[in-house]
Coordinates of all heavy atoms in Angstrom, one line a residue:
M1 N 101.8 -15.2 -27.6 CA 102.9 -16.0 -27.9 C 102.9 -16.7 -29.3 O 103.8 -16.7 -30.0 CB 103.0 -17.1 -26.8 CG 104.0 -18.0 -26.8 SD 105.6 -17.3 -26.4 CE 106.7 -18.7 -26.5
Q2 N 101.7 -17.3 -29.6 CA 101.5 -17.9 -30.8 C 101.7 -16.9 -32.0 O 102.3 -17.2 -33.0 CB 100.2 -18.5 -31.0 CG 100.0 -19.4 -32.1 CD 98.6 -20.1 -32.1 OE1 97.7 -19.8 -31.5 NE2 98.5 -21.2 -33.0
N3 N 101.2 -15.6 -31.9 CA 101.4 -14.6 -33.0 C 102.9 -14.3 -33.2 O 103.4 -14.1 -34.3 CB 100.7 -13.4 -32.7 CG 99.1 -13.5 -32.8 OD1 98.7 -14.4 -33.5 ND2 98.4 -12.6 -32.2
Q4 N 103.7 -14.3 -32.1 CA 105.1 -14.1 -32.2 C 105.8 -15.2 -33.0 O 106.6 -14.9 -33.9 CB 105.8 -13.9 -30.9 CG 105.5 -12.6 -30.3 CD 106.2 -12.6 -28.8 OE1 106.4 -13.6 -28.2 NE2 106.5 -11.4 -28.4
Q5 N 105.4 -16.4 -32.8 CA 106.0 -17.6 -33.5 C 105.6 -17.5 -34.9 O 106.4 -17.8 -35.8 CB 105.6 -18.9 -32.9 CG 106.1 -19.1 -31.5 CD 105.6 -20.3 -30.8 OE1 104.5 -20.9 -31.2 NE2 106.2 -20.7 -29.7
M6 N 104.4 -17.2 -35.3 CA 103.9 -17.1 -36.7 C 104.7 -16.0 -37.4 O 105.1 -16.2 -38.5 CB 102.4 -16.9 -36.8 CG 101.6 -18.1 -36.4 SD 99.9 -17.9 -36.5 CE 99.7 -17.8 -38.3
G7 N 104.9 -14.9 -36.7 CA 105.6 -13.7 -37.2 C 107.0 -14.1 -37.6 O 107.6 -13.7 -38.6
Q8 N 107.6 -14.9 -36.7 CA 109.1 -15.3 -37.0 C 109.2 -16.2 -38.0 O 110.1 -16.3 -38.8 CB 109.6 -15.9 -35.7 CG 109.8 -14.8 -34.6 CD 110.2 -15.5 -33.2 OE1 110.2 -16.6 -33.1 NE2 110.6 -14.6 -32.2
Q9 N 108.0 -17.2 -38.3 CA 108.2 -18.1 -39.2 C 108.0 -17.5 -40.6 O 108.5 -17.9 -41.7 CB 107.0 -19.2 -39.0 CG 107.4 -20.1 -37.9 CD 106.1 -20.9 -37.6 OE1 105.0 -20.9 -38.2 NE2 106.4 -21.9 -36.7
N10 N 107.3 -16.4 -40.7 CA 107.0 -15.7 -42.0 C 108.1 -14.8 -42.4 O 107.9 -14.1 -43.5 CB 105.6 -15.0 -41.9 CG 104.5 -16.1 -41.8 OD1 104.6 -17.2 -42.3 ND2 103.4 -15.7 -41.2
Q11 N 109.0 -14.5 -41.7 CA 110.0 -13.5 -42.0 C 110.9 -14.2 -43.2 O 111.3 -15.3 -43.1 CB 111.0 -13.3 -40.7 CG 110.3 -12.4 -39.8 CD 111.1 -12.1 -38.5 OE1 112.2 -12.6 -38.5 NE2 110.8 -11.2 -37.7
Q12 N 111.2 -13.3 -44.2 CA 112.0 -13.5 -45.2 C 113.4 -13.1 -44.9 O 113.6 -12.1 -44.4 CB 111.4 -13.0 -46.5 CG 110.2 -13.6 -47.0 CD 109.7 -13.0 -48.2 OE1 110.3 -12.1 -48.7 NE2 108.6 -13.6 -48.8
P13 N 114.4 -13.8 -45.5 CA 115.9 -13.2 -45.3 C 115.9 -11.9 -46.0 O 115.4 -11.7 -47.1 CB 116.7 -14.4 -45.8 CG 115.8 -15.1 -46.8 CD 114.4 -15.0 -46.2
I14 N 116.8 -11.1 -45.5 CA 117.2 -9.8 -46.1 C 118.2 -9.9 -47.2 O 119.2 -10.6 -47.0 CB 117.8 -8.8 -45.1 CG1 116.5 -8.5 -44.0 CG2 118.2 -7.5 -45.7 CD1 117.0 -7.7 -42.9
M15 N 117.9 -9.5 -48.3 CA 118.8 -9.6 -49.6 C 120.0 -8.6 -49.3 O 119.8 -7.4 -49.0 CB 118.1 -9.2 -50.9 CG 117.2 -10.1 -51.4 SD 116.5 -9.6 -53.0 CE 116.2 -11.2 -53.6
Q16 N 121.1 -9.1 -49.6 CA 122.4 -8.2 -49.5 C 122.7 -7.5 -50.7 O 123.3 -6.6 -50.7 CB 123.6 -9.1 -49.0 CG 123.4 -9.8 -47.7 CD 123.1 -8.8 -46.5 OE1 123.8 -7.8 -46.5 NE2 122.2 -9.1 -45.6
Q17 N 122.3 -8.2 -51.9 CA 122.4 -7.5 -53.2 C 121.2 -7.6 -54.0 O 120.3 -8.5 -53.8 CB 123.5 -8.3 -53.9 CG 124.9 -8.1 -53.3 CD 126.0 -8.9 -54.2 OE1 125.6 -9.8 -55.0 NE2 127.3 -8.5 -53.9
P18 N 120.9 -6.8 -55.0 CA 119.8 -6.9 -55.8 C 119.8 -8.2 -56.6 O 120.8 -8.7 -57.0 CB 119.8 -5.6 -56.7 CG 120.9 -4.8 -56.2 CD 121.7 -5.7 -55.3
P19 N 118.7 -8.7 -56.9 CA 118.6 -10.0 -57.8 C 119.2 -9.8 -59.2 O 119.1 -8.5 -59.6 CB 117.2 -10.3 -57.8 CG 116.4 -9.1 -57.5 CD 117.3 -8.2 -56.6
H20 N 119.5 -10.8 -59.9 CA 120.0 -10.6 -61.2 C 119.0 -10.5 -62.3 O 119.2 -10.0 -63.3 CB 120.8 -12.0 -61.6 CG 122.0 -12.1 -60.6 ND1 123.2 -11.3 -60.8 CD2 122.3 -12.9 -59.7 CE1 124.0 -11.7 -59.9 NE2 123.6 -12.6 -59.2
V21 N 117.7 -10.7 -61.8 CA 116.6 -10.5 -62.8 C 115.6 -9.7 -62.1 O 115.2 -9.8 -60.9 CB 116.0 -11.9 -63.1 CG1 114.7 -11.7 -63.9 CG2 116.9 -12.8 -63.7
I22 N 115.0 -8.7 -62.8 CA 113.9 -7.9 -62.3 C 112.6 -8.3 -63.1 O 112.6 -8.2 -64.3 CB 114.2 -6.4 -62.6 CG1 115.4 -5.9 -61.8 CG2 113.0 -5.5 -62.2 CD1 115.9 -4.5 -62.2
T23 N 111.6 -8.6 -62.4 CA 110.3 -9.0 -62.9 C 109.7 -7.7 -63.3 O 110.0 -6.7 -62.9 CB 109.5 -9.8 -62.0 OG1 109.2 -9.0 -60.9 CG2 110.2 -11.1 -61.5
T24 N 108.5 -7.9 -64.1 CA 107.7 -6.7 -64.5 C 107.1 -6.1 -63.2 O 107.0 -4.8 -63.1 CB 106.5 -7.2 -65.4 OG1 107.1 -7.8 -66.5 CG2 105.8 -5.9 -65.9
K25 N 106.7 -6.9 -62.2 CA 106.2 -6.3 -61.0 C 107.2 -5.6 -60.2 O 107.0 -4.5 -59.7 CB 105.7 -7.5 -60.1 CG 104.9 -7.0 -58.8 CD 104.3 -8.1 -58.1 CE 103.6 -7.6 -56.9 NZ 102.9 -8.7 -56.1
D26 N 108.5 -6.1 -60.1 CA 109.6 -5.3 -59.5 C 109.9 -4.0 -60.2 O 110.1 -3.1 -59.6 CB 110.9 -6.2 -59.6 CG 110.7 -7.5 -58.7 OD1 110.0 -7.5 -57.7 OD2 111.5 -8.4 -59.1
F27 N 109.9 -4.1 -61.6 CA 110.1 -2.9 -62.3 C 109.0 -1.9 -62.0 O 109.5 -0.7 -61.9 CB 110.2 -3.3 -63.9 CG 110.6 -2.2 -64.8 CD1 111.9 -1.8 -64.9 CD2 109.6 -1.5 -65.5 CE1 112.3 -0.9 -65.7 CE2 110.0 -0.4 -66.3 CZ 111.3 -0.2 -66.6
S28 N 107.8 -2.2 -62.0 CA 106.8 -1.3 -61.6 C 106.9 -0.6 -60.3 O 106.8 0.5 -60.1 CB 105.4 -1.9 -61.7 OG 105.1 -2.3 -63.1
Y29 N 107.4 -1.5 -59.3 CA 107.6 -1.0 -57.9 C 108.7 0.0 -57.9 O 108.7 1.0 -57.2 CB 107.8 -2.2 -57.0 CG 108.0 -1.7 -55.6 CD1 106.9 -1.2 -54.9 CD2 109.1 -1.8 -54.9 CE1 106.9 -0.8 -53.6 CE2 109.3 -1.4 -53.6 CZ 108.2 -0.8 -52.9 OH 108.3 -0.5 -51.6
I30 N 109.8 -0.4 -58.6 CA 111.0 0.5 -58.7 C 110.6 1.8 -59.3 O 111.0 2.9 -58.8 CB 112.2 -0.2 -59.3 CG1 112.7 -1.4 -58.5 CG2 113.3 0.9 -59.6 CD1 113.6 -2.3 -59.3
N31 N 109.8 1.8 -60.3 CA 109.4 3.1 -61.0 C 108.5 3.9 -60.0 O 108.7 5.1 -59.9 CB 108.6 2.7 -62.2 CG 109.4 2.5 -63.4 OD1 110.5 3.0 -63.5 ND2 108.9 1.8 -64.3
D32 N 107.6 3.3 -59.2 CA 107.0 4.0 -58.2 C 108.0 4.6 -57.2 O 107.8 5.7 -56.7 CB 106.0 3.1 -57.4 CG 104.7 2.7 -58.3 OD1 104.5 3.4 -59.3 OD2 104.1 1.7 -57.9
M33 N 108.9 3.7 -56.8 CA 109.8 4.4 -55.8 C 110.7 5.6 -56.3 O 110.9 6.5 -55.6 CB 110.8 3.3 -55.4 CG 110.2 2.2 -54.5 SD 111.2 0.8 -54.2 CE 112.8 1.4 -53.7
L34 N 111.0 5.5 -57.7 CA 111.6 6.6 -58.3 C 110.6 7.9 -58.3 O 111.2 8.9 -57.9 CB 111.9 6.3 -59.7 CG 113.1 5.5 -60.1 CD1 113.1 5.0 -61.5 CD2 114.4 6.3 -59.7
A35 N 109.4 7.7 -58.5 CA 108.4 8.8 -58.5 C 108.3 9.4 -57.1 O 108.3 10.6 -56.9 CB 107.2 8.3 -59.0
W36 N 108.3 8.5 -56.0 CA 108.2 8.9 -54.7 C 109.3 9.7 -54.2 O 109.2 10.8 -53.6 CB 108.0 7.7 -53.8 CG 106.6 7.0 -54.0 CD1 105.5 7.4 -54.5 CD2 106.5 5.6 -53.7 NE1 104.6 6.4 -54.6 CE2 105.2 5.2 -54.1 CE3 107.4 4.6 -53.2 CZ2 104.8 4.0 -54.0 CZ3 106.9 3.3 -53.1 CH2 105.6 2.9 -53.5
N37 N 110.5 9.2 -54.6 CA 111.8 10.0 -54.3 C 111.9 11.4 -54.9 O 112.4 12.3 -54.4 CB 113.0 9.1 -54.5 CG 113.2 8.1 -53.3 OD1 113.6 8.6 -52.2 ND2 113.1 6.9 -53.6
L38 N 111.5 11.3 -56.3 CA 111.5 12.6 -57.0 C 110.5 13.6 -56.3 O 110.9 14.8 -56.2 CB 111.1 12.3 -58.4 CG 111.3 13.6 -59.3 CD1 112.7 14.1 -59.4 CD2 110.8 13.2 -60.7
L39 N 109.4 13.2 -56.0 CA 108.4 14.0 -55.5 C 108.9 14.6 -54.1 O 108.8 15.8 -53.8 CB 107.1 13.3 -55.3 CG 106.0 14.2 -54.6 CD1 105.6 15.4 -55.5 CD2 104.7 13.3 -54.5
A40 N 109.5 13.6 -53.2 CA 110.0 14.0 -51.9 C 111.1 15.1 -52.1 O 111.2 16.0 -51.3 CB 110.4 12.8 -51.1
M41 N 112.0 14.8 -53.1 CA 113.1 15.7 -53.3 C 112.5 17.2 -53.7 O 113.0 18.1 -53.2 CB 113.9 15.1 -54.5 CG 115.2 15.9 -54.9 SD 116.1 15.1 -56.2 CE 115.0 15.0 -57.4
K42 N 111.6 17.1 -54.5 CA 111.1 18.4 -55.0 C 110.4 19.2 -53.8 O 110.5 20.4 -53.7 CB 110.1 18.3 -56.2 CG 110.6 17.9 -57.5 CD 109.7 17.6 -58.5 CE 110.2 17.5 -59.9 NZ 109.2 17.2 -60.9
K43 N 109.7 18.4 -53.0 CA 108.9 19.0 -51.9 C 109.9 19.6 -50.8 O 109.7 20.6 -50.3 CB 108.0 18.0 -51.2 CG 106.7 17.7 -52.0 CD 105.8 16.9 -51.2 CE 104.4 16.8 -52.0 NZ 103.4 16.1 -51.2
A44 N 111.0 18.8 -50.6 CA 111.9 19.3 -49.6 C 112.6 20.5 -50.1 O 112.9 21.5 -49.4 CB 113.0 18.2 -49.4
H45 N 112.9 20.5 -51.5 CA 113.6 21.8 -52.0 C 112.7 23.0 -52.1 O 113.1 24.1 -51.6 CB 113.9 21.4 -53.6 CG 114.6 22.6 -54.3 ND1 115.8 23.2 -54.0 CD2 114.0 23.4 -55.2 CE1 115.9 24.2 -54.7 NE2 114.9 24.3 -55.5
H46 N 111.5 22.8 -52.3 CA 110.4 23.8 -52.3 C 110.4 24.4 -50.8 O 110.4 25.6 -50.6 CB 109.1 23.4 -52.8 CG 108.1 24.5 -52.7 ND1 108.0 25.6 -53.5 CD2 107.0 24.6 -51.8 CE1 107.1 26.3 -53.1 NE2 106.4 25.7 -52.2
A47 N 110.2 23.5 -49.9 CA 110.1 23.8 -48.4 C 111.3 24.6 -48.0 O 111.2 25.7 -47.3 CB 109.8 22.7 -47.6
A48 N 112.5 24.2 -48.5 CA 113.7 24.9 -48.0 C 113.7 26.2 -48.6 O 114.2 27.1 -48.0 CB 115.0 24.0 -48.4
S49 N 113.3 26.4 -49.8 CA 113.3 27.7 -50.5 C 112.4 28.7 -49.8 O 112.6 29.9 -49.9 CB 113.0 27.6 -51.9 OG 111.6 27.3 -52.1
Q50 N 111.3 28.3 -49.1 CA 110.4 29.0 -48.5 C 110.6 29.3 -47.0 O 110.1 30.1 -46.3 CB 109.0 28.4 -48.5 CG 108.6 28.1 -49.9 CD 108.2 29.4 -50.6 OE1 107.7 30.3 -50.2 NE2 108.8 29.5 -51.9
C51 N 111.7 28.6 -46.4 CA 112.0 28.6 -45.0 C 112.9 29.8 -44.7 O 113.9 30.1 -45.4 CB 112.7 27.3 -44.7 SG 112.9 27.1 -42.9
Q52 N 112.6 30.4 -43.6 CA 113.3 31.5 -43.0 C 114.5 31.1 -42.1 O 115.5 31.7 -42.0 CB 112.5 32.6 -42.3 CG 111.4 33.1 -43.3 CD 112.0 33.8 -44.5 OE1 113.0 34.6 -44.3 NE2 111.5 33.7 -45.6
D53 N 114.3 30.0 -41.4 CA 115.2 29.5 -40.3 C 116.2 28.7 -41.0 O 116.0 27.7 -41.7 CB 114.3 28.6 -39.3 CG 115.2 28.1 -38.1 OD1 116.4 27.8 -38.3 OD2 114.7 28.1 -37.0
Q54 N 117.5 29.1 -40.8 CA 118.7 28.4 -41.5 C 118.8 27.0 -41.1 O 119.2 26.1 -42.0 CB 119.8 29.3 -41.3 CG 121.1 28.9 -42.2 CD 120.7 29.0 -43.7 OE1 120.1 30.1 -44.1 NE2 121.2 28.1 -44.5
Q55 N 118.6 26.7 -39.8 CA 118.9 25.3 -39.4 C 117.8 24.4 -40.0 O 118.1 23.3 -40.5 CB 118.7 25.2 -37.9 CG 119.9 25.8 -37.1 CD 119.7 25.6 -35.5 OE1 118.7 25.7 -35.1 NE2 120.9 25.4 -34.9
I56 N 116.5 24.8 -40.0 CA 115.5 24.0 -40.7 C 115.8 23.9 -42.2 O 115.6 22.9 -42.8 CB 114.1 24.7 -40.4 CG1 113.9 24.4 -38.9 CG2 113.1 24.0 -41.2 CD1 112.6 25.2 -38.4
K57 N 116.2 25.0 -42.8 CA 116.5 25.0 -44.2 C 117.6 24.1 -44.5 O 117.5 23.3 -45.5 CB 116.9 26.5 -44.7 CG 117.1 26.5 -46.2 CD 117.5 28.0 -46.5 CE 117.5 28.1 -48.1 NZ 117.6 29.5 -48.5
N58 N 118.7 24.0 -43.8 CA 119.7 23.1 -43.9 C 119.2 21.6 -43.8 O 119.6 20.8 -44.6 CB 120.9 23.3 -42.8 CG 121.6 24.6 -43.1 OD1 121.4 25.1 -44.2 ND2 122.3 25.1 -42.2
K59 N 118.4 21.3 -42.8 CA 117.8 19.9 -42.6 C 116.9 19.5 -43.9 O 116.9 18.5 -44.4 CB 116.9 19.8 -41.3 CG 117.7 19.9 -40.1 CD 118.7 18.8 -39.9 CE 119.4 18.9 -38.6 NZ 120.3 17.8 -38.4
L60 N 116.2 20.5 -44.4 CA 115.3 20.2 -45.5 C 116.1 20.0 -46.7 O 115.9 19.1 -47.6 CB 114.3 21.4 -45.8 CG 113.2 21.5 -44.8 CD1 112.5 22.8 -44.9 CD2 112.2 20.3 -45.0
D61 N 117.2 20.8 -46.9 CA 118.2 20.6 -47.9 C 118.9 19.2 -47.9 O 119.0 18.4 -48.9 CB 119.3 21.5 -48.1 CG 118.8 22.9 -48.6 OD1 117.8 22.9 -49.4 OD2 119.4 24.0 -48.2
A62 N 119.1 18.8 -46.7 CA 119.8 17.4 -46.4 C 118.9 16.4 -46.8 O 119.2 15.3 -47.4 CB 120.4 17.4 -45.0
C63 N 117.6 16.6 -46.4 CA 116.5 15.6 -46.7 C 116.3 15.4 -48.3 O 116.2 14.4 -48.8 CB 115.2 16.1 -46.1 SG 113.8 15.0 -46.4
G64 N 116.3 16.6 -49.0 CA 116.2 16.6 -50.3 C 117.4 15.8 -51.1 O 117.2 15.1 -52.0
Q65 N 118.6 16.1 -50.5 CA 119.7 15.5 -51.1 C 119.7 13.9 -50.9 O 120.1 13.2 -51.7 CB 121.0 16.0 -50.4 CG 121.3 17.5 -50.9 CD 122.4 18.2 -50.2 OE1 123.0 17.5 -49.2 NE2 122.6 19.4 -50.5
M66 N 119.2 13.5 -49.7 CA 119.1 12.1 -49.4 C 118.2 11.4 -50.4 O 118.5 10.3 -51.1 CB 118.5 11.9 -48.0 CG 118.3 10.3 -47.7 SD 117.2 10.1 -46.3 CE 115.6 10.8 -46.9
H67 N 117.1 12.1 -50.7 CA 116.1 11.5 -51.7 C 116.7 11.6 -53.1 O 116.4 10.6 -53.9 CB 114.8 12.3 -51.7 CG 113.9 11.9 -50.5 ND1 113.3 10.7 -50.3 CD2 113.6 12.6 -49.4 CE1 112.7 10.7 -49.1 NE2 112.8 11.9 -48.6
Q68 N 117.5 12.5 -53.4 CA 118.2 12.5 -54.6 C 119.2 11.4 -54.8 O 119.3 10.8 -55.9 CB 118.9 13.9 -54.8 CG 119.5 14.0 -56.3 CD 120.0 15.5 -56.5 OE1 120.1 16.2 -55.7 NE2 120.5 15.7 -57.7
R69 N 120.0 11.1 -53.8 CA 120.8 9.9 -53.7 C 120.0 8.6 -54.0 O 120.4 7.8 -54.8 CB 121.6 9.8 -52.4 CG 122.7 10.8 -52.4 CD 123.6 10.5 -51.2 NE 123.0 10.5 -49.9 CZ 122.7 11.4 -49.0 NH1 122.9 12.7 -49.4 NH2 122.1 11.2 -48.0
H70 N 118.9 8.5 -53.3 CA 118.1 7.3 -53.4 C 117.6 7.1 -54.9 O 117.6 6.1 -55.5 CB 117.0 7.3 -52.5 CG 117.4 7.1 -51.0 ND1 116.5 7.2 -50.0 CD2 118.6 6.9 -50.5 CE1 117.1 7.0 -48.8 NE2 118.5 6.8 -49.1
Y71 N 117.1 8.2 -55.4 CA 116.6 8.2 -56.8 C 117.8 7.8 -57.7 O 117.6 7.1 -58.6 CB 116.2 9.7 -57.1 CG 115.7 9.9 -58.6 CD1 114.3 9.6 -58.8 CD2 116.5 10.2 -59.6 CE1 113.8 9.8 -60.1 CE2 116.0 10.4 -60.9 CZ 114.6 10.2 -61.2 OH 114.2 10.3 -62.4
S72 N 118.9 8.5 -57.6 CA 120.1 8.1 -58.4 C 120.5 6.7 -58.3 O 120.8 6.0 -59.3 CB 121.4 8.9 -58.1 OG 121.0 10.3 -58.3
K73 N 120.5 6.1 -57.1 CA 120.8 4.6 -56.9 C 119.8 3.8 -57.6 O 120.2 2.8 -58.3 CB 120.9 4.3 -55.4 CG 122.1 4.8 -54.8 CD 122.1 4.2 -53.3 CE 123.4 4.6 -52.5 NZ 123.3 4.2 -51.1
L74 N 118.6 4.1 -57.5 CA 117.5 3.3 -58.1 C 117.6 3.4 -59.6 O 117.5 2.3 -60.4 CB 116.1 3.7 -57.7 CG 115.7 3.4 -56.3 CD1 114.5 4.1 -55.8 CD2 115.5 1.9 -56.2
L75 N 117.9 4.6 -60.2 CA 118.0 4.8 -61.6 C 119.2 4.0 -62.2 O 119.2 3.3 -63.1 CB 118.1 6.2 -61.9 CG 117.9 6.6 -63.4 CD1 116.6 6.2 -63.9 CD2 118.2 8.2 -63.4
A76 N 120.3 4.0 -61.4 CA 121.5 3.2 -61.7 C 121.2 1.7 -61.8 O 121.7 1.1 -62.8 CB 122.6 3.5 -60.8
H77 N 120.4 1.1 -60.9 CA 120.0 -0.2 -61.0 C 119.3 -0.6 -62.1 O 119.4 -1.5 -62.9 CB 119.3 -0.6 -59.6 CG 120.2 -0.8 -58.4 ND1 121.2 -1.6 -58.4 CD2 120.1 -0.1 -57.2 CE1 121.9 -1.5 -57.1 NE2 121.2 -0.6 -56.4
L78 N 118.3 0.4 -62.5 CA 117.4 0.1 -63.6 C 118.3 0.2 -64.9 O 118.1 -0.6 -65.8 CB 116.3 1.1 -63.8 CG 115.1 0.9 -62.8 CD1 114.1 2.1 -62.9 CD2 114.5 -0.5 -62.9
E79 N 119.1 1.1 -65.0 CA 119.9 1.3 -66.2 C 120.8 0.2 -66.4 O 121.1 -0.4 -67.4 CB 120.8 2.5 -66.1 CG 119.9 3.8 -66.4 CD 120.7 5.1 -66.1 OE1 121.7 5.0 -65.5 OE2 120.1 6.2 -66.5
E80 N 121.5 -0.5 -65.3 CA 122.3 -1.5 -65.3 C 121.5 -2.8 -65.9 O 121.9 -3.6 -66.7 CB 122.9 -2.0 -63.9 CG 123.6 -3.2 -63.8 CD 123.9 -3.4 -62.3 OE1 124.3 -2.6 -61.6 OE2 123.9 -4.7 -62.0
K81 N 120.3 -3.0 -65.4 CA 119.5 -4.1 -65.8 C 119.0 -3.9 -67.2 O 118.9 -4.9 -68.0 CB 118.3 -4.3 -64.8 CG 118.6 -4.6 -63.4 CD 119.4 -5.9 -63.4 CE 119.6 -6.2 -61.9 NZ 120.5 -7.4 -61.8
Q82 N 118.6 -2.7 -67.6 CA 118.2 -2.6 -69.0 C 119.3 -2.8 -69.9 O 119.1 -3.3 -71.0 CB 117.8 -1.0 -69.1 CG 117.1 -0.8 -70.5 CD 116.7 0.7 -70.6 OE1 117.0 1.5 -69.8 NE2 115.8 0.9 -71.5
S83 N 120.6 -2.3 -69.5 CA 121.6 -2.7 -70.4 C 122.0 -4.2 -70.6 O 122.3 -4.5 -71.7 CB 122.9 -1.9 -70.0 OG 123.4 -2.5 -68.8
S84 N 121.7 -4.9 -69.6 CA 121.8 -6.4 -69.6 C 120.7 -7.1 -70.2 O 120.6 -8.2 -70.4 CB 122.4 -6.9 -68.4 OG 121.4 -6.8 -67.3
N85 N 119.6 -6.3 -70.3 CA 118.3 -6.7 -70.9 C 117.8 -8.0 -70.1 O 117.5 -9.0 -70.7 CB 118.4 -7.0 -72.4 CG 117.1 -7.1 -73.0 OD1 116.1 -6.6 -72.6 ND2 117.1 -7.7 -74.2
T86 N 117.7 -8.0 -68.8 CA 117.2 -9.0 -68.0 C 115.8 -8.8 -67.4 O 115.6 -9.5 -66.3 CB 118.3 -9.4 -66.9 OG1 118.4 -8.3 -66.0 CG2 119.6 -9.8 -67.5
I87 N 115.0 -8.0 -67.9 CA 113.7 -7.8 -67.3 C 112.8 -8.9 -67.9 O 112.7 -9.0 -69.1 CB 113.2 -6.3 -67.7 CG1 114.2 -5.3 -67.0 CG2 111.8 -6.2 -67.0 CD1 113.9 -3.9 -67.4
T88 N 112.1 -9.6 -67.0 CA 111.3 -10.7 -67.4 C 109.9 -10.4 -66.9 O 109.6 -9.7 -66.0 CB 111.8 -12.0 -67.0 OG1 111.8 -12.0 -65.5 CG2 113.2 -12.3 -67.4
Q89 N 108.9 -11.3 -67.3 CA 107.6 -11.3 -67.0 C 107.3 -12.5 -66.1 O 107.8 -13.5 -66.1 CB 106.6 -11.1 -68.0 CG 106.6 -9.8 -68.7 CD 105.4 -9.7 -69.6 OE1 104.7 -10.5 -69.8 NE2 105.4 -8.5 -70.3

């Protein structure tokens, strides 16, 4: 019971929009997320190209496209922040 109460007290509110300022730590984390999504996208594409089952190939292609969309969204956020030059330490 006590662990549940502590867990509820430590919960942070969910952000509805990205912050107006990106710290150096945030920037590094976003770069890592870009790399993870790019790698997942490449792996899904490679796996789909090796797959013989069309249903599985379609799912792998959809997975790769999802990671590509995430990559594009993250990149757009970074480009927006870079153009406004609001990256701080």
